[in-house]
Amino acid sequence: INRTLLVTPGEALSRQHIDELVRSGIAATVFSRGGTGGLFRGRAVEVLETSKLAETDGEKTVAVDSFESNNLVLIDEGHHGSSGEVIRGLRNRLSADGFAFEYSATFGQAMKAAKKPELEASYARAVVFDYAYRRFYADGYGKDFRVLNVDDGGEEALHHRYLVACLVA
């Protein structure tokens, strides 16, 4: 394995992962085109966003081929971009000779929304663990939430009052 890459859908999630990894004693850093660690490259988890992967280097993007293909690639919120052929292809090339592990809390919903039988079949053969939100919540990991629906009839004042009441609650 040349590198361990963690691919996320956004910078906030990337920062959260780095914080959690470091607190767990795992070396992690934001991916840097100039390289991280010199001789120690490949020992730290390098975190970057899906939007930064491209065919060619750009001001805010990095060419997938510059990573080579023998990588361990962890893909958080794997359903983001899974239905897009370009993004999915780029992610697959990162681990062509290595290993990719995608995870998401909402693969089922994403696959139904994608309406692509070949994609659904691909994930159906590869799911390691399905931890439905109902079980996730029952095990104490979920957040308490409440869904309040109101028909405001398009009345802006009522809509504003409703949103303020939700914030106060």
Side-chain angles (χ1 to χ4, degrees):
I1 298 293
N2 292 329
R3 289 183 144 131
T4 300
L5 301 168
L6 173 56
V7 181
T8 73
E11 289 183 16
L13 195 51
S14 291
R15 284 191 302 273
Q16 179 182 344
H17 275 295
I18 291 169
D19 290 346
E20 293 292 332
L21 287 165
V22 169
R23 278 196 292 211
S24 298
I26 299 170
T29 184
V30 172
F31 168 77
S32 170
R33 189 186 324 244
T36 53
L39 291 173
F40 300 105
R41 189 183 91 207
R43 294 187 185 210
V45 176
E46 297 176 84
V47 184
L48 75 157
E49 295 75 45
T50 304
S51 61
K52 294 182 180 166
L53 299 173
E55 289 292 341
T56 58
D57 285 332
E59 187 177 320
K60 294 185 178 186
T61 60
V62 62
V64 170
D65 291 338
S66 65
F67 290 100
E68 299 179 12
S69 60
N70 186 23
N71 301 300
L72 169 60
V73 183
L74 308 169
I75 304 165
D76 191 9
E77 299 294 339
H79 65 280
H80 285 275
S82 63
S83 60
E85 297 301 320
V86 173
I87 294 296
R88 187 166 167 73
L90 292 172
R91 290 187 333 202
N92 288 345
R93 283 174 36 207
L94 287 173
S95 61
D97 298 315
F99 185 81
F101 186 84
E102 295 183 48
Y103 53 97
S104 173
T106 56
F107 267 127
Q109 295 91 327
M111 293 307 100
K112 286 178 187 169
K115 296 181 180 171
K116 292 187 175 184
E118 67 282 356
L119 185 62
E120 195 171 329
S122 170
Y123 279 113
R125 289 190 309 270
V127 171
V128 174
F129 188 74
D130 184 8
Y131 195 34
Y133 186 77
R134 183 180 308 226
R135 288 184 37 218
F136 179 81
Y137 183 81
D139 289 345
Y141 298 112
K143 297 176 183 165
D144 288 326
F145 64 92
R146 191 177 339 170
V147 177
L148 303 172
N149 294 315
V150 64
D151 181 11
D152 62 12
E155 187 179 329
E156 185 65 31
L158 180 58
H159 183 75
H160 179 75
R161 193 169 354 144
Y162 168 73
L163 291 176
V164 170
C166 287
L167 289 172
V168 171

